[in-house]
Each structure stands twice: as C-alpha cells, then as structure tokens.
Amino acid sequence: MSKRSIEKFNEPLYQREALRFECTGCGACCVASGDYYVYVTKNEIEKIGDFLGLSRAWFKRRYLQRLPDEGPEEGWVLAVSDDDLCVFLGKDRRCSVYSVRPAQCSSYPYWPEVVLRKSDWLRESRRCEGIGRGKIVSKKMIAALLEKQADND
Ligand code: SF4
C-alpha cells in the first residue's frame, strides 16, 4: 500500500466519504440502550429548567439522574422511563424540549463514535433510519460539530 493510500485509509470516515443524513423524526435515537446516556451540562440544566419554568432543584429531581461514579457537579444525565424512553419524548414521539435540547441530542449523529469509522457509521444506521438518506452533509459542518463537542468535554 502506498503512503498516500495509508494516509487516506487513516483519515476519518467523514473526510474521505460523503455522508448523507436526513432525520425522519422516528424517535429511535431517544430510546436508551445499554450504556447510552444523554449528558447535560450546567448551562443546559439552567436552559431546560427555565424553558419548563422549574427551579434547578425541582428540575433535577424530576427529570435528571446522576451517574453514581461521577463527581458532584458532573455526571447528570436525562432520566429515562421504565421502558427506556427519554423522559422528554412525548406520546407523539416528538421531543418536548426540542428548542432547548442538550448539545448531545442536537449534534446527533455527528459524534466521534459514529462518524470516524465506517463500521460505526454502518452500525448506527441500524438504529437511525435517517443515516444514508437525504443530502450529503458538508465535511465542514461535521468538523465544526466535532470540535464543539471536544470543547464541551
Ligand atoms: S433515529 Fe435518526 S431518523 Fe430517527 S429521530 Fe433520531 S436522528 Fe431522526
């Protein structure tokens, strides 16, 4: 294999292939599975709490859960129902806090664990029917979203 081919092979998937995505609104990404959590930052807790008109303490009690191995301020995740649905997923399969949803939701499916390797992208397409549909998403936009997520870490 030539040096150029090796370099190309090592490039992130979204850099070397055109990725298509169009959300159908099916709601499948709002179902928890295994170790899948939606983390919320302090700012997001404030923002969603304000949107719902709830105090921070009440909002946490009602809509969040803490991962046991995390520190006092970090590790808050959205609660899920007994049937593993996001606490904000409505009966109509729509997000009830859509305009103020956490960055983890708004950046989906452009997560490092999804867009860097082809096997991950294909695996995720079994869960999300929007993957592989619609228009090609620009590499620039995906790179900007990945950078933003890295800044939030
Ligand atoms: S699983 Fe994919 S297509 Fe379905 S709502 Fe989520 S992002 Fe949209």
Side-chain angles (χ1 to χ4, degrees):
M1 201 184 257
S2 70
K3 192 174 168 210
R4 176 70 196 125
S5 311
I6 291 171
E7 277 170 11
K8 189 93 187 140
F9 184 74
N10 285 330
E11 263 179 356
L13 174 69
Y14 74 93
Q15 290 287 358
R16 58 175 203 270
E17 278 190 28
L19 302 184
R20 293 178 188 275
F21 172 70
E22 185 178 68
C23 180
T24 64
C26 71
C29 58
C30 309
V31 181
S33 54
D35 283 344
Y36 178 72
Y37 298 106
V38 176
Y39 286 84
V40 276
T41 63
K42 245 164 131 177
N43 283 346
E44 289 168 342
I45 291 172
E46 299 283 343
K47 226 162 98 181
I48 306 172
D50 286 352
F51 178 80
L52 296 172
L54 297 174
S55 72
R56 192 172 160 181
W58 188 241
F59 173 69
K60 280 181 173 173
R61 207 171 307 147
R62 210 160 151 191
Y63 294 108
L64 301 184
Q65 61 189 64
R66 175 93 63 83
L67 294 183
D69 54 348
E70 303 285 348
E73 276 306 315
E74 302 299 326
W76 288 104
V77 296
L78 296 186
V80 292
S81 65
D82 289 342
D83 43 1
D84 279 347
L85 301 177
C86 173
V87 68
F88 290 124
L89 188 65
K91 285 199 169 68
D92 57 358
R93 302 283 285 180
R94 299 275 162 186
C95 176
S96 58
V97 294
Y98 188 81
S99 61
V100 288
R101 68 199 186 286
Q104 189 179 324
C105 304
S106 60
S107 61
Y108 181 81
Y110 312 111
W111 297 348
E113 56 269 51
V114 176
V115 295
L116 300 186
R117 298 187 325 166
K118 186 153 191 161
S119 54
D120 294 333
W121 181 249
L122 293 176
R123 188 205 59 237
E124 195 66 16
S125 72
R126 293 202 289 270
R127 182 157 81 116
C128 168
E129 63 181 24
I131 288 179
R133 281 179 193 247
K135 290 186 183 153
I136 291 171
V137 184
S138 85
K139 293 175 188 177
K140 210 171 152 190
M141 195 197 93
I142 298 177
L145 283 169
L146 289 171
E147 205 168 306
K148 207 168 152 195
Q149 290 168 70
D151 288 347
N152 280 344
D153 283 347

